Amino acid sequence: MIISVASGKGGTGKTLVATSLAISLKDGHKVQLLDCDVEEPNDHIFLKPVIDRSETVSVPVPRIDEEKCTYCGICADICAYNAIAVFGRNVLVFPELCHGCGACRYFCPEKAIVEKKRRIGIVESSSSDGIAFVQGKLAVGEAIPIAVIRKVKEYTDSDGIVITDVSPGTSCPVVQSIVGSDFCLLVTEPTPFGFNDLALAVETVRKLNIPCGVVINRFGVGDTKVEEYCVRENIPVLLTIPMDAGIARLYSRGITLAEGMPQWKEIFLELFKKIEDLVNERSRYS
Amino acid sequence: MKIAISTMGQTVDSEVDSRFGRCRYFVIVDLETMQSRALDNSAATGSGGVGVSTTQTIIKEGVEAIITGNCGPNAHQALTAAGIKIITGITGNVQDVIEDYRSGKLKTSSQPNVGTHTGMNPGKITD
């Protein structure tokens, strides 16, 4: 079963939930944690894994063979990312805009485009401490995390429980991370920002036809808009985590909730049970 | 000779738009006849590589120079490759800017004056 942990708004507690869920489950299950927040992966701070494998992630970028090129401009027209420009007898390639889709090479009538690899990040993995851990790291200055996320997801071992920690927002990296999940856990907070971005995230997961449930973190602050919205939209609130200085203190020291306050382990196991029931119920009716 | 100025409006009475790639319009001026017209910048709302696609549009107009507020590295490289002069750091009324250009007061810039994605955040101008 693949459970992705997303949020919309940043800083609501995705990492808190993803790491504690993984730690709570590891004694009774085969657990994998994929940190797909490749621009700032931070699950490692809490799991402290010993990295035993590192793999380079590259994207293919076009190189123009000027001997064959007739400057027809088809490559520039076809490029959805404006990574190629043709002016007169000048072809410019902007590697950092290139998504590596290969359309330019495919459509070049002169076969004048070859691809070279450009390194954009790494994927690290570890199997220490009962959790198979994988994280992607996008190289500093790179703008397109998709290829790194895709590589992280290649490690998915769906025999066990896979927990995917997703980046904030609702854009391409988020979609790339959550697509293929059996369930998406949306972590939010009871504030106007949390509410606004939760609604956007719900729209996104619904479009992908992934069932979702909500975790309200810092419960007790703000207002009741998130809860009212969940009732209105028929989205189950699966867990609330109170606004608590003790939790914040643990987190600031890199200690998961499940380890720092062991009573939370049971609560996360219950959360998993609820998710499992929702996923099974759905598969019965589909 | 023609020049293109990134603008907020469609006439020479409008203000210079600080953004190059994501400006709403260009006012294209023929310096011999002093005729001007507005060009809708269709590339402005693209998701990425806007500096490059806007340059492709501008090139088709056959201008010798572009006048704008900020020009990032991708657009700068593309405009330079296309042999178009780049004048950055310009604000104010388009009519005044045209006069300044004609009297040789404006200097071309050999380097981008901002980083990538500056035009996505019009409230924040870095230099």
Side-chain angles (χ1 to χ4, degrees):
Chain A
M1 174 151 58
I2 305 171
I3 303 167
S4 48
V5 184
S7 70
K9 184 184 175 298
T12 56
K14 286 179 297 300
T15 298
L16 177 103
V17 170
T19 53
S20 275
L21 188 57
I23 297 235
S24 304
L25 287 166
K26 74 171 182 177
D27 291 335
H29 302 81
K30 183 176 165 189
V31 181
Q32 198 180 30
L33 179 61
L34 308 180
D35 196 342
C36 283
D37 189 359
V38 303
E39 287 172 81
E40 193 62 75
N42 57 357
D43 289 348
H44 68 93
I45 296 170
F46 298 89
L47 292 189
K48 304 166 187 75
V50 179
I51 300 298
D52 47 34
R53 190 176 161 195
S54 180
E55 192 186 349
T56 299
V57 183
S58 317
V59 289
V61 297
R63 179 159 48 193
I64 315 295
D65 182 342
E66 301 265 356
E67 305 243 296
K68 292 185 185 165
C69 180
T70 60
Y71 309 99
C72 68
I74 288 175
C75 54
D77 290 340
I78 211 86
C79 181
Y81 310 102
N82 300 311
I84 307 182
V86 180
F87 315 118
R89 295 179 64 79
N90 237 321
V91 185
L92 286 184
V93 177
F94 296 87
E96 70 285 1
L97 297 176
C98 175
H99 285 228
C101 72
C104 53
R105 186 176 62 89
Y106 184 85
F107 285 99
C108 175
E110 310 301 330
K111 301 272 166 268
I113 295 180
V114 290
E115 285 171 346
K116 55 178 179 175
K117 282 184 173 176
R118 202 168 72 86
R119 184 185 172 281
I120 62 155
I122 56 169
V123 171
E124 295 177 329
S125 54
S126 148
S127 50
S128 56
D129 231 11
I131 294 174
F133 175 73
V134 185
Q135 67 178 356
K137 284 183 178 171
L138 185 69
V140 171
E142 292 296 334
I144 302 160
I146 302 300
V148 180
I149 296 169
R150 202 179 286 139
K151 183 65 88 180
V152 171
K153 290 185 77 175
E154 279 177 18
Y155 283 73
T156 303
D157 176 3
S158 43
D159 279 352
I161 299 162
V162 182
I163 297 163
T164 308
D165 194 3
V166 181
S167 53
T170 48
S171 61
C172 302
V174 173
V175 173
Q176 181 69 40
S177 302
I178 64 179
V179 75
S181 305
D182 297 298
F183 194 86
C184 186
L185 207 49
L186 296 170
V187 185
T188 189
E189 59 182 28
T191 63
F193 288 126
F195 169 51
N196 180 75
D197 291 3
L198 171 68
L200 295 173
V202 167
E203 264 184 69
T204 308
V205 294
R206 282 186 173 162
K207 206 138 220 170
L208 296 169
N209 200 23
I210 298 170
C212 68
V214 165
V215 174
I216 308 178
N217 189 16
R218 300 196 192 95
F219 193 71
V221 302
D223 54 34
T224 56
K225 290 242 169 60
V226 167
E227 287 165 273
E228 288 159 25
Y229 167 81
C230 289
V231 170
R232 206 162 57 235
E233 293 290 325
N234 201 17
I235 301 163
V237 176
L238 301 175
L239 175 66
T240 58
I241 302 170
M243 179 72 179
D244 178 80
I247 295 175
R249 210 172 290 126
L250 280 174
Y251 195 80
S252 72
R253 286 160 52 207
I255 300 169
T256 62
L257 196 46
E259 287 168 307
M261 295 182 178
Q263 68 272 29
W264 277 91
K265 215 166 159 172
E266 277 308 311
I267 298 171
F268 278 102
L269 286 172
E270 271 170 45
L271 170 67
F272 175 69
K273 186 82 188 53
K274 286 183 196 166
I275 294 171
E276 208 176 27
D277 288 347
L278 286 167
V279 171
N280 290 339
E281 196 182 328
R282 183 182 161 98
S283 62
R284 258 205 306 281
Y285 292 108
S286 60
Chain B
M1 273 315 167
K2 288 196 283 183
I3 58 168
I5 303 159
S6 64
T7 52
M8 315 274 259
Q10 303 192 53
T11 67
V12 291
D13 299 322
S14 51
E15 296 283 304
V16 173
D17 192 328
S18 65
R19 302 162 298 177
F20 171 69
R22 291 186 187 275
C23 70
R24 184 74 179 82
Y25 303 102
F26 283 100
V27 167
I28 313 280
V29 186
D30 185 322
L31 295 174
E32 275 135 45
T33 63
M34 285 310 283
Q35 297 276 322
S36 69
R37 68 182 180 83
L39 172 72
D40 206 348
N41 181 19
S42 56
T45 53
S47 63
V50 170
V52 179
S53 59
T54 299
T55 302
Q56 305 252 36
T57 310
I58 277 296
I59 280 161
K60 293 184 185 125
E61 297 297 318
V63 300
E64 65 164 7
I66 63 107
I67 299 174
T68 187
N70 298 316
C71 180
N74 291 339
H76 199 281
Q77 195 189 339
L79 287 163
T80 304
I84 295 173
K85 281 193 277 183
I86 305 155
I87 296 162
T88 56
I90 304 303
T91 54
N93 178 272
V94 170
Q95 190 71 62
D96 298 342
V97 169
I98 296 168
E99 284 315 309
D100 286 348
Y101 184 80
R102 280 160 63 90
S103 58
K105 281 188 196 158
L106 305 183
K107 289 203 170 60
T108 56
S109 58
S110 57
Q111 292 182 63
N113 65 330
V114 290
T116 53
H117 300 136
T118 304
M120 296 178 83
N121 207 351
K124 193 180 93 187
I125 294 171
T126 51
D127 56 18

